[in-house]
């Protein structure tokens, strides 16, 4: 189990003010690494290289909306918890997204810091559990392969 | 017969008055509907800065408490202020700046909104049509957001004797129509300028255009190609009334299917004697 790294939270919102506020809040209350972007494309570039536990995205942004971004980040990092932060009065689009992109949670603007932090914490926990599970399965697969290998060698030795 | 004539005249004048009142009410009702349609966008526009302010306020309160504790402790120990205190101060300065921007955002939307709902007394006063246009644009933009790019080319204008609230409604109607004519992404260009003795305002969109067979009908009350709940077909009819009857101006358009539509509003700088 590698628990060296602090959890990473990626925030994407085309409004600089939202990023500044959330960054200040998370820096004060947590030890998380916070990566914030106004440009969804840049966020995706980061996600190609760096593992993240939670991805929070605004809904309405130029070039790419939050659901598209979260759908693409799901391909890159299926274990990361995806949170939609929406100021849109349209709840239906968020509910549709829960099903389509496997949304972990959606939070409405204006958001409540305490509630948001709880959602982020749960998201991190879930992401870490999923990653652990995946690595356990991988280890199991490997052990299984080794066993098979040993078995065939054993058989060969006797033939 | 002759004894009845004065009665008949009184009757006609009562009818005329009733009609005028009904028109006023219709303009008002239509306007409430169009602002209502923009409400989701306006709410969004306000929610983001409010979210920031609320969060910043909490963070500020917490940070100040931590700061005080650290400074008190340092003072008690006779030590210099801890480096973390300086970092917290930086954050606080940053948040104060964000709060200022956030408050300005909210105030500017509310100010534009107020020009539309500021009481029922429609009166003529000197106003700058560019300012009225800006207010209408501010509200329309909440709805357009990233879907529609807005370009403005405002010329230098003299103040015009006009009913600012009603003209604001006309501009909003044209902007909403422009936005609705654009299926996905597009552009709206708003221009203003002085031509002879009139201010000319144009709203151009890159939308679907008006098909030739509909061109003679779009100013008719009730003509709409939009589904119920989106359009009542009154926007242009009421706009024409406001521009031509109230201000002695004119309204027209040019359109090309598949290319877009441009509406022109012409308002005389000095109002005709009957207006007002
Ligand atoms: N910019 C435009 N581009 C294309 N068609 C337009 C444009 N503006 C108006 N129209 C056409 O003219 C019709 C009448 O417009 P009008 O503003 O009077 O009513 P409406 O937009 O349908 O409803 P509302 O009462 O909500 O304004 C529209 O339904 C549309 O077909
Ligand atoms: Mg209309």
């Amino acid at each position: 189990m590698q628990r060296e790294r602090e959890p990473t939270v990626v925030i994407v919102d085309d409004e600089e003010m939202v990023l500044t506020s959330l960054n200040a809040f998370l820096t004060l209350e947590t030890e998380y690494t916070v990566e914030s972007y106004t440009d969804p494309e840049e966020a995706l570039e980061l996600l190609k290289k760096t593992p993240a536990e939670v991805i929070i995205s605004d809904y309405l942004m130029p070039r790419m909306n939050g659901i598209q971004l979260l759908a693409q980040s799901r391909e890159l990092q299926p274990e990361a918890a995806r949170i939609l932060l929406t100021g849109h009065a349209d709840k239906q689009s968020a509910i549709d997204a829960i099903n389509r992109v496997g949304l972990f949670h959606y939070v409405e603007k204006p958001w409540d810091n305490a509630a948001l932090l709880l959602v982020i914490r749960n998201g991190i926990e879930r992401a870490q559990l999923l990653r652990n599970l995946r690595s356990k399965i991988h280890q199991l697969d490997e052990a299984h392969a080794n066993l098979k290998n040993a078995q065939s060698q054993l058989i060969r030795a006797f033939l | 017969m002759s004894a009845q004539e004065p009665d008949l005249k009184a009757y006609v004048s009562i009818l005329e008055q009733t009609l005028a009142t009904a028109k006023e009410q219709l303009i008002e009702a239509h306007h409430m509907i169009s602002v209502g349609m923009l409400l989701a966008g306006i709410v969004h526009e306000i929610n983001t800065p409010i979210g920031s302010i609320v969060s910043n306020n909490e963070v500020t309160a917490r940070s100040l408490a931590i700061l005080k504790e650290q400074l008190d402790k340092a003072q008690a120990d006779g030590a210099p202020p801890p480096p973390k205190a300086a970092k917290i101060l930086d954050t606080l300065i940053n948040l104060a700046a964000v709060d200022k921007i956030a408050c300005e955002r909210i105030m500017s939307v509310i100010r534009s909104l107020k020009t539309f709902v500021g009481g029922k007394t429609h009166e003529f006063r000197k106003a700058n049509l560019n300012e009225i246009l800006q207010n209408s644009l501010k509200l329309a933009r909440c709805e357009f957001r990233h879907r529609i790019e807005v370009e403005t080319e405002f010329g230098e204008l003299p103040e015009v004797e006009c009913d600012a609230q009603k003209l604001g409604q006309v501009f909003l109607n044209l902007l909403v129509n422009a936005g609705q004519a654009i299926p996905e992404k597009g552009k709206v260009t708003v221009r203003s300028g002085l031509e002879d003795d009139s201010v000319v305002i144009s709203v151009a969109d890159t939308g679907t255009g008006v098909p030739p067979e509909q061109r003679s009908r779009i100013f008719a009350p009730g003509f709409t190609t939009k589904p119920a709940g989106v359009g009542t077909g009154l926007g242009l009819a009421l706009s024409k009334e406001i521009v031509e009857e109230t201000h002695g101006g004119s309204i027209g358009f040019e359109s090309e299917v598949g290319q877009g539509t441009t509406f022109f509003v012409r308002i005389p700088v000095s109002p005709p004697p009957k207006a007002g």
Side-chain angles (χ1 to χ4, degrees):
Chain A
M1 272 226 329
Q2 29 144 345
R3 265 284 175 86
E4 297 294 292
R5 183 172 67 79
E6 290 298 343
T8 297
V9 177
V10 177
I11 310 174
V12 190
D13 197 310
D14 61 319
E15 301 269 9
E16 194 81 50
M17 67 170 75
V18 173
L19 299 181
T20 311
S21 298
L22 287 178
N23 222 325
F25 168 62
L26 291 175
T27 308
L28 180 74
E29 299 289 347
T30 73
E31 299 295 321
Y32 306 154
T33 306
V34 181
E35 303 281 359
S36 44
Y37 294 92
T38 49
D39 182 356
E41 304 273 2
E42 277 178 31
L44 285 174
E45 281 309 307
L46 174 95
L47 290 171
K48 280 180 193 157
K49 299 176 300 217
T50 317
E53 276 63 40
V54 171
I55 304 161
I56 303 174
S57 174
D58 182 27
Y59 177 55
L60 275 179
M61 295 181 290
R63 301 211 283 160
M64 187 188 294
N65 74 36
I67 294 175
Q68 290 166 328
L69 170 72
L70 293 176
Q72 288 193 38
S73 59
R74 182 191 205 179
E75 305 286 315
L76 295 170
Q77 300 203 29
E79 296 96 349
R82 291 168 294 277
I83 299 170
L84 195 67
L85 178 65
T86 168
H88 215 52
D90 178 18
K91 271 189 197 174
Q92 194 54 46
S93 59
I95 292 165
D96 291 348
I98 293 182
N99 302 322
R100 267 201 301 128
V101 305
L103 206 63
F104 176 62
H105 221 286
Y106 91 98
V107 177
E108 279 182 64
K109 286 182 193 167
W111 68 94
D112 174 59
N113 274 341
L116 181 64
L117 185 55
L118 202 67
V119 171
I120 294 175
R121 281 214 179 102
N122 290 338
I124 290 173
E125 204 173 317
R126 181 173 174 277
Q128 286 171 339
L129 278 174
L130 284 174
R131 286 214 169 113
N132 254 328
L133 191 69
R134 174 182 276 223
S135 92
K136 285 273 148 56
I137 290 173
H138 185 72
Q139 283 169 20
L140 211 64
D141 275 352
E142 237 167 38
H144 189 71
N146 284 342
L147 201 68
K148 269 226 162 130
N149 202 9
Q151 217 173 24
S152 61
Q153 277 179 2
L154 207 64
I155 293 172
R156 240 182 282 135
F158 279 95
L159 282 180
Chain B
M1 194 61 183
S2 62
Q4 277 181 346
E5 245 165 39
D7 275 347
L8 211 57
K9 265 190 192 156
Y11 196 57
V12 168
S13 107
I14 289 172
L15 275 185
E16 273 174 347
Q17 247 174 36
T18 315
L19 192 64
T21 314
K23 264 186 191 161
E24 284 296 316
Q25 286 168 346
L26 200 58
I27 290 176
E28 198 113 341
H30 184 267
H31 184 61
M32 289 330 283
I33 293 171
S34 36
V35 171
M37 302 237 297
L38 297 177
L39 213 55
I42 295 169
V43 165
H44 185 281
E45 181 70 13
I46 293 180
N47 266 345
T48 298
I50 287 185
S52 254
I53 294 170
V54 171
S55 169
N56 295 350
N57 186 262
E58 270 176 39
V59 171
T60 303
R62 284 265 293 140
S63 301
L64 286 173
I66 295 171
L67 206 58
K68 183 166 168 26
E69 197 188 296
Q70 288 187 349
L71 290 179
D72 284 351
K73 191 167 174 295
Q75 201 173 29
D77 299 348
K84 204 180 167 198
K87 220 184 123 197
I88 293 179
L89 276 180
D90 282 343
T91 305
L92 289 177
I93 290 168
N94 224 339
L95 292 188
V98 170
D99 279 349
K100 186 160 180 280
I101 297 168
C103 287
E104 275 162 7
R105 273 265 298 272
I106 295 171
M107 270 167 20
S108 115
V109 180
I110 298 292
R111 231 181 271 126
S112 310
L113 210 50
K114 261 165 75 179
T115 61
F116 287 99
V117 289
K120 286 182 185 169
T121 48
H122 291 288
E123 39 188 45
F124 266 58
R125 60 175 174 83
K126 282 215 174 294
N128 187 326
L129 295 199
N130 283 340
E131 266 168 40
I132 302 174
L133 260 178
Q134 282 290 16
N135 284 329
S136 302
L137 253 178
K138 178 94 214 171
L139 295 190
R141 269 190 144 133
C142 295
E143 225 280 307
F144 293 174
R145 289 217 92 207
H146 305 301
R147 191 172 72 88
I148 294 164
E149 185 197 340
V150 177
E151 198 180 296
T152 55
E153 284 173 29
F154 289 176
E156 188 96 21
L157 300 181
E159 294 214 313
V160 172
E161 192 67 41
C162 65
D163 183 328
Q165 202 172 332
K166 278 194 186 156
L167 280 187
Q169 297 181 17
V170 171
F171 300 148
L172 194 63
N173 283 340
L174 297 182
L175 290 166
V176 169
N177 280 349
Q180 289 172 337
I182 296 171
E184 283 183 6
K185 293 200 170 192
K187 187 169 163 186
V188 170
T189 309
V190 183
R191 294 188 179 87
S192 72
L194 191 62
E195 273 177 32
D196 303 323
D197 295 330
S198 296
V199 170
V200 178
I201 273 119
S202 68
V203 176
D205 64 61
T206 58
T208 50
V210 184
E213 67 277 12
Q214 291 176 1
R215 287 184 191 158
S216 61
R217 287 188 287 160
I218 63 168
F219 287 101
F223 177 79
T224 182
T225 54
K226 297 167 192 172
V230 176
T232 58
L234 292 176
L236 286 178
L238 295 174
S239 298
K240 191 176 167 76
E241 165 92 19
I242 293 170
V243 170
E244 296 187 349
E245 302 307 317
T246 315
H247 291 88
S250 61
I251 183 169
F253 71 100
E254 284 167 4
S255 186
E256 198 160 329
V257 174
Q259 297 291 309
T261 307
T262 304
F263 275 85
F264 301 92
V265 172
R266 188 177 282 272
I267 303 286
V269 174
S270 344
K274 67 162 191 159

